[in-house]
Amino acid sequence: MNPVKIIILFLSMAFLSIYLDKLGFFKYLATKAAMMFKKNQKALFLSLFILISALTVFTSNDIIILTFTPFICYFCKNTKINPIPYLIGEFFAANTLSMTLLIGNPTNIYIASNVGITFIEYFNKMFLIGLATAILLCLLLLLVFRKSLSEELTDVHEESKIESKFLLTMGLIHLLGCTFIMAIANYIDIEMYLVSLIAACSLLIITTIYLLVKKEKNNVVSSSLKELPFPFIPFLISMVVLISALSKTNYISELSNILLKSNSPITYGVSSLLLGNLLNNIPTS
């Protein structure tokens, strides 16, 4: 188990996502969805749920939540509607659909890397599960918040523009290309962390050269680098050290023996559910 590879993979994918956010891509999509369904809160809620779900699949739940939470708060304040349904919907969509691809959550990356699950193997098993769970949760949220979502909202005057179409195109090409190559990484014998690192470095170099040639003052690179989730590094390394130390004792083997007595997916699911809420999904994993 190499935590350095996980850190490189996670930070590289985070850079690709934050880069698009700094260019206004996510806010632009959310604004278009809000403008399209501005008179119908249920349709607006559904469109944002689908949008966040789709983006989470190809990026990361952490990045999506950090990106959309300020927008939802700002939007709801200006339209004078209750932000709670949209925030809860955002959290549910991001955390649920992050199950569908291996790169959607650091936990996925950690477990899959540790036991040798490939990108395609993970996708084949988890896509329908994540999709079915998301659909069910969306319907339940619409039911729970039906009263709040029945209210009309005021006209939306929010506008969002893309700062640079060229840079946006480069960002999308690198993100989609990186995701595709990682999907076939096992067949071309290349590790996923190298794919994401090369994509992030390539985008950084191309953007820097473009801005220098055009003599444009755009801080997309520096601002993206500044907002990378660097606290994830000591957190993950610390957890790896603690778990490695714990593995030297008999506690891990004793816990394993308890779980093996039933040898049931339900046992592992319930125990993970309890520990994940008591601790955190990464230490639990």
Side-chain angles (χ1 to χ4, degrees):
M1 188 60 217
N2 190 333
V4 176
K5 293 181 180 180
I6 297 175
I7 290 170
I8 292 174
L9 176 57
F10 182 70
L11 291 182
S12 299
M13 293 304 298
F15 174 77
L16 296 177
S17 301
I18 295 172
Y19 179 94
L20 291 174
D21 176 41
K22 289 301 176 182
L23 292 174
F25 178 64
F26 297 150
K27 188 175 181 180
Y28 174 81
L29 292 179
T31 302
K32 287 298 181 182
M35 293 290 290
M36 189 179 299
F37 301 104
K38 60 183 179 181
K39 291 297 183 182
N40 188 333
Q41 275 208 68
K42 291 181 181 178
L44 173 60
F45 175 87
L46 183 60
S47 66
L48 285 176
F49 190 94
I50 294 173
L51 174 62
I52 291 170
S53 298
L55 291 173
T56 300
V57 171
F58 295 102
T59 55
S60 167
N61 60 341
D62 302 288
I63 303 304
I64 292 299
I65 289 174
L66 290 172
T67 298
F68 275 89
T69 298
F71 169 79
I72 289 174
C73 293
Y74 178 81
F75 173 80
C76 292
K77 180 180 179 181
N78 282 270
T79 52
K80 299 178 181 179
I81 58 175
N82 183 11
I84 300 300
Y86 297 95
L87 290 172
I88 297 296
E90 173 198 14
F91 302 150
F92 271 72
N95 285 299
T96 302
L97 267 296
S98 65
M99 293 191 298
T100 56
L101 282 189
L102 194 150
I103 58 175
N105 195 307
T107 302
N108 306 351
I109 301 170
Y110 183 91
I111 296 176
S113 301
N114 198 20
V115 298
I117 300 174
T118 66
F119 193 99
I120 296 297
E121 285 176 328
Y122 183 93
F123 177 79
N124 287 338
K125 292 290 189 297
M126 294 303 299
F127 177 73
L128 287 178
I129 294 174
L131 183 62
T133 306
I135 292 173
L136 178 60
L137 287 175
C138 184
L139 294 175
L140 289 173
L141 288 173
L142 286 171
L143 179 64
V144 170
F145 294 112
R146 62 188 182 280
K147 184 176 180 181
S148 178
L149 294 175
S150 297
E151 301 174 2
E152 285 194 5
L153 47 82
T154 58
D155 290 336
V156 182
H157 299 292
E158 174 74 12
E159 291 186 3
S160 181
K161 296 181 180 180
I162 301 298
E163 292 187 14
S164 173
K165 292 184 178 180
F166 174 80
L167 294 181
L168 175 63
T169 302
M170 288 295 102
L172 288 172
I173 289 174
H174 279 77
L175 177 61
L176 296 176
C178 177
T179 304
F180 173 75
I181 296 175
M182 283 196 293
I184 62 172
N186 188 57
Y187 301 99
I188 59 178
D189 196 26
I190 183 173
E191 295 193 63
M192 288 190 295
Y193 84 96
L194 285 176
V195 176
S196 62
L197 178 62
I198 292 171
C201 291
S202 172
L203 182 60
L204 192 152
I205 293 171
I206 290 174
T207 302
T208 302
I209 293 175
Y210 174 81
L211 293 176
L212 288 174
V213 172
K214 290 289 186 177
K215 297 181 180 179
E216 293 184 9
K217 293 182 179 180
N218 192 320
N219 63 347
V220 62
V221 172
S222 59
S223 59
S224 297
L225 292 174
K226 287 179 182 178
E227 291 198 14
L228 286 176
F230 290 112
F232 174 75
I233 299 176
F235 177 76
L236 178 63
I237 293 177
S238 299
M239 295 316 305
V240 170
V241 171
L242 289 172
I243 297 302
S244 297
L246 192 61
S247 66
K248 301 298 181 181
T249 67
N250 294 326
Y251 292 112
I252 296 294
S253 59
E254 288 177 4
L255 176 60
S256 177
N257 290 331
I258 293 173
L259 293 174
L260 285 171
K261 285 181 181 179
S262 64
N263 197 25
S264 168
I266 296 177
T267 303
Y268 287 91
V270 172
S271 60
S272 298
L273 169 68
L274 296 174
L275 287 173
N277 281 278
L278 181 64
L279 302 173
N280 179 281
N281 61 337
I282 296 179
T284 299
S285 301

